[in-house]
Structures are given as structure tokens and as C-alpha cells.
Amino acid sequence: MSALSLSGVGKVFNPGSDQEVRAVHGIDLEVGRGEFVSVIGPSGCGKSTLLRLIGDLTPPSAGTVSVNGKTPARARLDRDYGMVFQSATLLDWRKVAANVELPLEIMGMGEAERSRQAAAMLDLVQLGRFAGHYPWQLSGGMQQRVAIARALAFKPSILLMDEPFGALDEMTRERMQAELLRIRAETGTTVVFVTHSIPEAVFLSTRVVIMSSRPGTITEVVDIDLPEPRSYETREDRRFFDLLTKVREGLRAVEAS
Amino acid sequence: MSPNTRRVLSVLGILAVLVAVWEGYKWMGTATGGVWPGTGVELPVRTNERSMPHTWDVVIALLRPARRGGDMLLLVLLKAALFTWRSALLGFVLGSAVGFGLGVLFVRSALAERGLMPHVVASQTVPILAIAPILVVWAGRLNVTRWLVVAVVSAYLAFFPVAINTLRGLRSPDATASELMRSYAATPNQVLWKLQVPAALPYLFPALKIAATASIIGAIVGELPASMPDGLGRAILNFAAAFSAAPAKLFASILVASLVGIGFVGVVVLAERMLIPPSRRLEDLEAAGPRGRDLKEVVA
Ligand SMILES: Nc1ncnc2c1ncn2[C@@H]1O[C@H](COP(=O)(O)OP(=O)(O)O)[C@@H](O)[C@H]1O
Ligand SMILES: [Mg+2]
């Protein structure tokens, strides 16, 4: 059973009105356990919508989504998803540790276990020292790491990330990418990752999904057969550059059409 | 100089300026015989002792017996203020609770908001002077203690700003935060208490400050039709009737009434200081909405 299975999935916003938008259309995609799939495409092509369909934040207009063999709604209630968005969206009245504990509180975990788990997650993103800080005392990159720790807190089987590093500077971004790969290696979480950066998609992923706009649909899937574990050297690998070119050409074909 | 010292000094400074303007105007009017200097144009307000007592006469009046052989006026007024404040405090608590409840109801149910909001707004355009006697008569039948009725009049004014700002505050978290809560499979109650209410607190306090002053006004006005002999309302009415004979007493009661209001707001400010860290405190103008923000830009 794959972690994610989409068949014929489409989404129309405001159907029938003059503001009708066909956001995504005819999406077929299988994602295996532990895979890291990036979705890349021109802005407005429906990447976020695709992620929201998977995460049960919006219902599909057509087709079926199945998550670990369940409906997205069931998967959400079973807390199969961890979500990270472009903005960290930490609650500013809660300290860092309390932010990470929030999902655990909501699932009804006891206080002692909760704080143990939050501490472990903060160690995972190497922010253990900042447990007692308030979010506004942290840099943007650190806040985003807290958001990742929070998303991983209840050990979701799928991590949905929508341009999580989009607001970070290049140096921080590369550090965060390395960190994310390390975390994934430790947790075995399946990741669906939306980005508009070609190097980011190639460096992180096992597969890159290229989407076109109007209607948003998958035009090409590129297998990324770079050696694991990825490291600083990966970015200097010939194969890395070949794959960058391949994805870039795929995107250019989309934008030309 | 610490910011607090500076604040106290600026308040005292402005008080001094106001006193100086009052006394200066009075002095000028007395010198010119009630006209603008060099012209024959009459001053808008007469400057004789009947219209404008000296500021120090107001203070002196506070320290004299209210009536021959009786207690000091200040004492009489403070007693009355305490009495009024009891109704106002209950009205404030009652009104704030109702306002908060309405905010929660509105954020939960668009239908309730659409149906009730116009009535809530309309309730505040009806003069409280008309509402108060109705409530007093109704409650009279029910045999409720009168100061409780006054509290209800006071709550009638206090609930409104709290309802509006609670709603604004409960709506303030951005969509992403709500989606995160959804992804945690949070119940509506969990969303309310863990996300919306904490987010609303900074919006709540500016409304509570307004509610505090409104509840005092409501209590004073409510005392009149309830013919309560003991509160500030009656005292003000009495001194207003005797204004031309003893103007300083009316000004003195205004002074005390406003001090009570300021004291009440001060309590709310203290509560805000204790509960909301500085980084989350909203400027009052900002909390007043987009118009408030514009105002703030004009001020800045
Ligand atoms: N809630 C919505 N209502 C109406 N249209 C929407 C909504 N969300 C997204 N869209 C539209 O769907 C299209 C795809 O949006 P989105 O998935 O956000 O694209 P991307 O993330 O690739 O930039 C856009 O044209 C956008 O305007
Ligand atoms: Mg997007």
C-alpha cells in the first residue's frame, strides 16, 4: 500500500459562477512510504491546492485521494499529517516548547509525556536551548525549524510542506535543507514538498513532479537518482547538474505552452 | 528620567496648563468686563463666580462641609462614588461577560451574527436615558434591589465595545493558524480556547477600558430614574439644581466622578499589564480598527 494515491483528482473553485477557477485537473500520483516528492511549477498552477487536497483542507471536485489506504478526512482525524507552511505561524503567546506541545495537547497527551516529546523534537531540530524563548525572539530560520518540530511532534506519517523555506535567505535555506534530510532519515517520514526552486527540489527529492498551469496538471515526473545520503558534495556532482537541466527543461516546456 | 515619571509629569503638566487657561480666561474677562480685549465682542462664557468659580474654590469646596454642620463635601462625594461604583462594577462584569459571550457566539455562527449584530448596534443608538426608566419599572415589579437594576443599565452600555472587540480578536488569527488546528483534528472548543481566545486578549483590554468608563456613566444615568438617594447621580442632580448658588460644588462632583472613572480604567490597565506581555499589547487606536490605524498615522 502506498502512502499516497491520487487518481483523476481535480479541483474547481466557485463552480458555475463567473469566478470559476479550474485549479487542478486530472492528477494521478502514487507516493511510496518514505519517499520525498517535490512539486514544482509556475506560480498559480495549483501546487498549494494539490497539497490542500491531500491534507483534507479542501475537498476535491473530482477523483479520489487515498492516504495510507484511507480517505483524507479519516487520515486527518487519525493525525497522519504534519503541515508546514511558508510562514511559521507560531502562537506568539506560547514559548517555543509550548508551541511544539500544542498538537500534543490537542490530542490529549499527558503533561509529562508531552514535554518529553516536545524536548525530543526540539533537539531534533537543534533548538533544545531555545525551549524557553518566545517565537519573536528567534530568527526566521529558527522559527521555521520550530514549525517543523511542531509538525513532527505527533509523529505523522506524512509531512506536507508548502514552500517552507521560501522566505529564508540562501545560506539559511541550504542549512535547512540539509537539516530536513537528516530529520527525514531519522524519522522515515514521507514528504510532499512544494517549492519553486529547482536546486531545492533536485537536492531534496527522490522524485520531482512538474506541473503546468491552466489547468494545473502533472506534465512530467523526474526520478532523482542521486546517491544517498545527500551532502554538500551532492551539489557539486555532475549528475546533480544534469538533473537541474532536466527539470529546468521540463519547466520551460510548461511555460512555453 | 523613567518613562513612568515622564508620564506622570506630562499629566501634571497638562493639568497645570488647563488650570492656567481657565484662570487666565477668567482673569481676562474680569479685566475687560466680559469682552474680548480691544473689541466689544462678548466672551462665550461669562467669567463671574457664578459661571466659572476659581479652580481653588472648587478644591476648597471639596474640603468644606457639604451642608451646614454636615460631612466634608469630599467625603460625601466619595461615599456616593463608592455607592455608584458598586453598581458600575457589577454592570462592568455583567456587560463584559455578555459582550464576550456574544463575540464567541458570533464567531461560531454566521447566522447569529447576521441576525443579531444589527440589533446589537441599534441597542447603542437608543438613548440610555430612555432605556433606564423602562428597566427600572420592569425590575420594580420583580422586586429586585434597585442598585442591581442600576447595574443592568450600566451593563447595557458596557457590553457593546466588548462584544465588538472580542469578535475582532477571535477572528484575528490568520487562516494558516486555523488550518494547522484543523490538521491537528482540534475540536471547535479547542480552537476557541487554545487559539482564538488567547489571540483575542490584546483586543479585549482596550474594549474593557471603554467598558469601564461606560459602566460608570451607565450607573450614574441609571440612578436617576431609579431615584437612588445615595449615588453620584443624585448628588450631581442636586448640585446642578443649585448650580447658580454654589457652582463650585457641581464642578467638585464632576471632578470626583471623573476621578472614579480614571481609577476604574487604571485597574483595567493594571490587569492588562499583568496579563499581557508588552510585545502583545495593542495600542488602543490600533485595536479600534482600520480607522484607528489611520488616526495613528495622522498623529504620528
Ligand atoms: N480558495 C480559493 N478560491 C478560489 N480560487 C482559488 C482558491 N485557492 C486557490 N485558488 C486559485 O487556484 C489557482 C491555484 O492556486 P494555488 O494552488 O495557490 O497555486 P500555487 O500554489 O501553485 O501558486 C490559482 O489560480 C488561485 O487563484
Ligand atoms: Mg502556493
Side-chain angles (χ1 to χ4, degrees), chain A residues 100-245:
Chain A
V100 177
E101 282 185 39
L102 176 68
L104 304 174
E105 251 175 73
I106 285 170
M107 68 188 280
M109 187 184 277
E111 204 176 319
E113 202 186 343
R114 209 161 69 203
S115 70
R116 203 166 342 105
Q117 176 73 357
M121 289 303 132
L122 283 174
D123 284 341
L124 189 67
V125 297
Q126 299 178 333
L127 283 178
R129 286 194 307 119
F130 294 91
H133 284 59
Y134 280 100
W136 44 268
Q137 296 173 307
L138 307 185
S139 70
M142 288 156 90
Q143 290 186 17
Q144 203 55 312
R145 267 146 73 195
V146 177
I148 293 172
R150 179 181 58 186
L152 292 168
F154 53 50
K155 301 204 159 65
S157 62
I158 298 180
L159 199 51
L160 302 176
M161 307 181 88
D162 195 348
E163 302 189 23
F165 307 145
L168 306 179
D169 63 82
E170 197 56 34
M171 293 300 289
T172 314
R173 199 168 172 145
E174 289 193 2
R175 262 212 319 279
M176 297 287 291
Q177 290 165 2
E179 197 130 322
L180 179 59
L181 284 184
R182 182 180 56 75
I183 289 166
R184 173 171 159 265
E186 281 181 39
T187 59
T189 315
T190 308
V191 185
V192 182
F193 189 97
V194 168
T195 179
H196 50 232
S197 157
I198 299 170
E200 182 166 87
V202 171
F203 179 70
L204 291 173
S205 313
T206 53
R207 273 191 299 159
V208 173
V209 169
I210 301 173
M211 285 181 70
S212 71
S213 44
R214 247 148 271 183
T217 189
I218 297 177
T219 54
E220 194 181 344
V221 178
V222 180
D223 282 315
I224 307 294
D225 46 2
L226 290 168
E228 309 270 352
R230 314 267 164 94
S231 66
Y232 191 73
E233 281 82 59
T234 309
R235 293 185 200 275
E236 326 234 289
D237 194 324
R238 269 233 51 152
R239 190 76 199 113
F240 181 70
F241 289 105
D242 292 345
L243 286 162
L244 286 187
T245 308

Side-chain angles (χ1 to χ4, degrees), chain A residues 44 46-49 86 162-163 194:
Chain A
K47 305 180 291 294
S48 297
T49 303
Q86 182 166 355
D162 195 348
E163 302 189 23
V194 168

Side-chain angles (χ1 to χ4, degrees), chain B residues 192-206:
Chain B
L192 181 69
W193 292 109
K194 293 195 187 292
L195 176 65
Q196 294 176 311
V197 169
L201 284 185
Y203 292 80
L204 192 60
F205 277 96

Side-chain angles (χ1 to χ4, degrees), chain B residues 17-249:
Chain B
V17 169
L18 288 176
V19 168
V21 167
W22 178 281
E23 293 296 341
Y25 178 89
K26 190 170 160 67
W27 174 84
M28 179 185 78
T30 315
T32 62
V35 295
W36 291 105
T39 67
V41 183
E42 280 199 27
L43 290 171
V45 177
R46 292 203 190 154
T47 55
N48 56 24
E49 293 305 313
R50 272 192 183 178
S51 311
M52 284 180 73
H54 278 296
T55 44
W56 48 84
D57 282 341
V58 174
V59 177
I60 290 170
L62 274 173
L63 301 175
R64 290 238 173 93
R67 62 175 76 109
R68 210 174 301 278
D71 281 337
M72 210 198 288
L73 177 62
L74 180 64
L75 219 61
V76 171
L77 284 174
L78 282 181
K79 240 192 231 159
L82 202 66
F83 186 86
T84 302
W85 195 65
R86 179 174 61 166
S87 302
L89 183 63
L90 184 64
F92 171 78
V93 171
L94 216 65
S96 302
V98 169
F100 184 82
L102 280 173
V104 171
L105 178 68
F106 290 168
V107 81
R108 283 279 179 90
S109 156
L111 186 70
E113 192 197 350
R114 268 203 307 273
L116 274 174
M117 191 56 115
H119 297 286
V120 167
V121 173
S123 76
Q124 301 301 300
T125 66
V126 179
I128 188 71
L129 223 50
I131 296 287
I134 297 174
L135 289 175
V136 169
V137 171
W138 286 355
R141 282 282 304 240
L142 299 174
N143 234 345
V144 185
T145 326
R146 273 185 298 173
W147 74 271
L148 288 179
V149 182
V150 175
V152 172
V153 178
S154 151
Y156 188 90
L157 283 191
F159 90 95
F160 181 72
V162 179
I164 299 297
N165 262 29
T166 300
L167 181 60
R168 270 180 66 82
L170 293 175
R171 290 230 169 101
S172 66
D174 48 324
T176 324
S178 308
E179 290 181 343
L180 277 176
M181 295 302 272
R182 185 175 157 87
S183 80
Y184 305 151
T187 64
N189 272 332
Q190 287 175 323
V191 176
L192 181 69
W193 292 109
K194 293 195 187 292
L195 176 65
Q196 294 176 311
V197 169
L201 284 185
Y203 292 80
L204 192 60
F205 277 96
L208 290 180
K209 288 176 214 167
I210 300 171
T213 55
S215 70
I216 301 261
I217 294 174
I220 290 176
V221 174
E223 281 171 356
L224 303 180
S227 27
M228 310 270 293
D230 309 323
L232 271 182
R234 168 63 30 181
I236 289 175
L237 213 58
N238 285 345
F239 293 135
F243 180 64
S244 48
K249 283 184 180 171

